[in-house]
Amino acid sequence: MNYILKDENAQYFECGFSCDNAIFLRLGSEAFFITDARYVHEASMCIKNASVLEGDRRDLLKTVRLLIRKGGIKTLCYNPSEWTVDAYARLSEKVRITFQKKPNFSQQKRMIKRSDELELLRQAALFGKEAFECFGSFLNAQGVGIDEVRAHFEAEMIFKRYGELGLSFSPIVAFDENAAKPHALPTQKRLQKGSLVLLDAGVMYQRYCSDRTRTSSFEQVLVFEKEQYFSDALKQKVYDTVLLAQEAAIKAIKVGVRAKQIDQAARDVIDKTGFGEYFIHSTGHGVGLDIHELPIIGARSETIIEENMVFTIEPGIYLPDCFGVRIEDTVIVRENGAEVIG
């Protein structure tokens, strides 16, 4: 297949290197990494399975069009979401071939992980879990009275290990009613004894992401474990419901089932307790080089689950202006079920 890639993670998957001004082009058995003079030397040192070519810094597509014409190809696949209208117009200018739209075709190639990718994902998950424990220790020692803005800053530093790791995404740190927003932004809300604390965070290790969420009670000592006790009966009921939903979804993971069946397993538990309308997102998403990859574990997803897929299971219940609960783990699909890695 002939194809062209602009997305950095898609490029990295193909050749082990990427930068912010590059195009990866495969024409039959030949592959080309086209970049500008700032990156040519490093790219040449890192890339072994593609020719590194220097192009015009302001218009790499000149080189791309020349290669397409020389290659004598008839079709070229591309992901339309990677291209602006202007960039696509310049790519196709005076090039007499058929451009085939292939949405997300790089992510589709990456759905089933290689063994080396699985090890990187396990290690990322381990580092992420350790960071949860460190952040919990910080809150226990210094957390009372700090606001979400300060807690968010501290979470970023802890999850980065002060420069050793990257972040999969900006952490979500939410207290009490702010936790009712699935992607809550930090506010001036202050942490108190008795608060509910939701933490959704992950690290990036050698480009591979981790993703984990815990909802915890800060009535005594805060721990980011699944066993939680709330003095408020409604909080306890919601928490227990979400935990049962997550357990049901993980149990439903089997090779050959459809992704929507896993989502339904979680949704059935929440529906039965009357909170169905407050579960307002999909049950999970793929994780890899991107924090959100395929497959989607959602109500409409017909994807057939296969061994070595990696995705999250993260049901939640969000009661507006009250509180929210989400519990999330990343899993690897194995022959006989799911391996929870964090």
Side-chain angles (χ1 to χ4, degrees):
M1 180 171 73
N2 306 313
Y3 54 89
I4 187 168
L5 298 167
K6 288 188 71 179
D7 177 78
E8 281 202 49
N9 281 336
Q11 292 175 5
Y12 181 83
F13 182 78
E14 297 288 339
C15 64
F17 183 80
S18 71
C19 61
D20 63 3
N21 190 36
I23 294 174
F24 182 89
L25 182 67
R26 176 165 290 282
L27 304 177
S29 61
E30 293 186 288
F32 305 93
F33 187 87
I34 304 109
T35 188
D36 65 64
R38 297 171 298 168
Y39 302 109
V40 166
H41 180 62
E42 188 170 11
S44 298
M45 293 175 62
C46 296
I47 295 173
K48 308 299 181 187
N49 60 344
S51 299
V52 178
L53 303 178
E54 181 180 337
D56 184 331
R57 177 176 174 177
R58 292 175 175 80
D59 190 5
L60 299 179
L61 292 173
K62 290 180 183 178
T63 304
V64 172
R65 290 193 299 269
L66 179 61
L67 290 168
I68 290 172
R69 293 189 192 106
K70 285 184 176 180
I73 63 171
K74 295 182 179 180
T75 61
L76 185 69
C77 296
Y78 73 103
N79 181 353
S81 65
E82 293 180 9
W83 295 83
T84 64
V85 173
D86 176 67
Y88 178 76
R90 288 187 289 113
L91 169 66
S92 57
E93 182 181 6
K94 298 178 182 178
V95 177
R96 296 179 180 178
I97 64 171
T98 300
F99 289 90
Q100 295 181 333
K101 292 182 180 180
K102 295 277 188 180
N104 299 319
F105 76 89
S106 178
Q107 285 203 350
Q108 289 171 356
K109 289 174 65 176
R110 288 148 46 195
M111 267 204 293
I112 298 174
K113 304 302 193 261
R114 304 183 307 262
S115 59
D116 61 310
E117 292 181 290
L118 295 177
E119 287 310 307
L120 291 173
L121 286 163
R122 285 191 184 95
Q123 187 61 59
L126 177 60
F127 284 140
K129 183 177 180 181
E130 290 173 352
F132 266 77
E133 294 170 357
C134 290
F135 185 65
S137 296
F138 164 76
L139 291 182
N140 284 317
Q142 304 180 47
V144 175
I146 70 168
D147 61 24
E148 290 175 341
V149 174
R150 166 76 188 284
H152 177 267
F153 171 80
E154 296 292 343
E156 284 199 336
M157 294 302 101
I158 288 169
F159 277 81
K160 287 178 181 176
R161 288 171 58 143
Y162 299 92
E164 290 184 20
L165 299 170
L167 295 176
S168 298
F169 53 94
S170 183
I172 297 169
V173 184
F175 306 151
D176 299 314
E177 63 268 22
N178 207 31
K181 306 167 190 172
H183 285 181
L185 298 175
T187 71
Q188 302 300 317
K189 174 72 178 177
R190 293 187 179 276
L191 180 65
Q192 303 295 339
K193 285 292 185 178
S195 289
L196 174 148
V197 178
L198 186 150
L199 174 63
D200 184 349
V203 304
M204 190 179 294
Y205 173 69
Q206 295 187 27
R207 300 282 296 249
Y208 283 81
C209 298
S210 76
D211 196 0
R212 188 178 197 239
T213 306
R214 291 292 184 267
T215 305
S216 300
S217 167
F218 196 26
E219 295 183 16
Q220 298 297 325
V221 176
L222 182 145
V223 291
F224 288 116
E225 301 293 340
K226 288 187 179 178
E227 188 174 343
Q228 294 289 328
Y229 297 97
F230 297 86
S231 59
D232 182 274
L234 179 59
K235 286 180 181 177
Q236 191 69 57
K237 181 179 180 181
V238 169
Y239 185 87
D240 291 344
T241 299
V242 173
L243 182 56
L244 286 172
Q246 197 212 29
E247 291 171 347
I250 292 173
K251 187 176 180 180
I253 297 170
K254 293 181 176 61
V255 173
V257 305
R258 295 187 186 276
K260 67 180 184 182
Q261 293 174 264
I262 301 170
D263 178 88
Q264 192 61 53
R267 218 163 286 280
D268 284 346
V269 173
I270 294 175
D271 285 345
K272 287 176 182 177
T273 57
F275 294 112
E277 66 181 294
Y278 303 109
F279 181 12
I280 55 178
H281 55 71
S282 297
T283 295
H285 58 83
V287 177
L289 287 167
D290 289 320
I291 188 57
H292 291 103
E293 291 198 348
L294 298 177
I296 297 169
I297 309 300
R300 294 187 296 246
S301 179
E302 298 288 346
T303 302
I304 303 296
I305 299 303
E306 298 183 55
E307 190 172 2
N308 293 341
M309 285 182 172
V310 179
F311 49 81
T312 66
I313 297 295
E314 50 177 305
I317 294 174
Y318 310 92
L319 305 181
D321 301 317
C322 193
F323 63 89
V325 172
R326 179 166 68 255
I327 304 171
E328 175 185 24
D329 286 297
T330 299
V331 304
I332 300 172
V333 180
R334 312 305 290 173
E335 183 180 0
N336 298 315
E339 173 191 349
V340 178
I341 62 172

